[in-house]
């Protein structure tokens, strides 16, 4: 997986077009699912499954895309992981 820097093309502030952003986020979905699955406790699994939590995290990422200050795939992956961790934390607080 290429995680090197991808600076924005000349004359463009955002590092990726909408299509590129969508592909990038979709590309990290399996990784987020692998992280979410073991994190969900048995008691919470009945309330939400890993796909639900990942979908919620990706919706949050989409809604906050303008706030993403990173420029590389590595930074995007880290940002998505932080959002996922936040959504998992929210889920645990809600049910425990």
């Amino acid at each position: 997986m290429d995680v090197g820097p991808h600076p924005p093309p000349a004359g463009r502030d955002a590092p990726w077009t909408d299509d590129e952003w969508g592909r990038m986020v979709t590309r990290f979905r399996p990784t987020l699912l692998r992280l979410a699955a073991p994190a969900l406790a048995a008691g919470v699994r009945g309330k939400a499954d890993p796909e639900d939590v990942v979908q919620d995290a990706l919706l949050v990422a989409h809604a906050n895309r303008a706030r993403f200050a990173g420029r590389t795939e590595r930074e995007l992956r880290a940002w998505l992981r932080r959002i996922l961790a936040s959504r998992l934390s929210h889920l645990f607080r809600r049910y425990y």
Side-chain angles (χ1 to χ4, degrees):
M1 178 185 319
D2 176 25
V3 292
H6 292 280
R12 191 164 51 150
D13 291 331
W16 301 296
T17 65
D18 289 344
D19 287 341
E20 291 167 335
W21 174 266
R23 282 192 299 273
M24 295 291 290
V25 170
T26 299
R27 181 175 173 186
F28 292 126
R29 184 183 195 89
T31 300
L32 297 175
L33 282 168
R34 281 192 303 273
L35 294 170
L40 290 176
V44 177
R45 257 198 203 126
K47 313 287 190 232
D49 65 21
E51 291 192 18
D52 294 334
V53 179
V54 169
Q55 181 65 28
D56 184 45
L58 293 177
L59 286 171
V60 170
H62 178 72
N64 291 284
R65 179 179 171 192
R67 297 175 73 190
F68 175 64
R71 293 279 193 213
T72 66
E73 290 180 39
R74 180 172 284 156
E75 290 168 325
L76 176 60
R77 185 177 58 218
W79 187 65
L80 292 172
R81 289 176 72 165
R82 284 192 304 272
I83 293 171
L84 177 63
S86 174
R87 301 318 298 160
L88 285 166
S89 177
H90 174 76
L91 186 67
F92 292 140
R93 281 192 308 270
R94 182 174 175 189
Y95 292 109
Y96 285 112

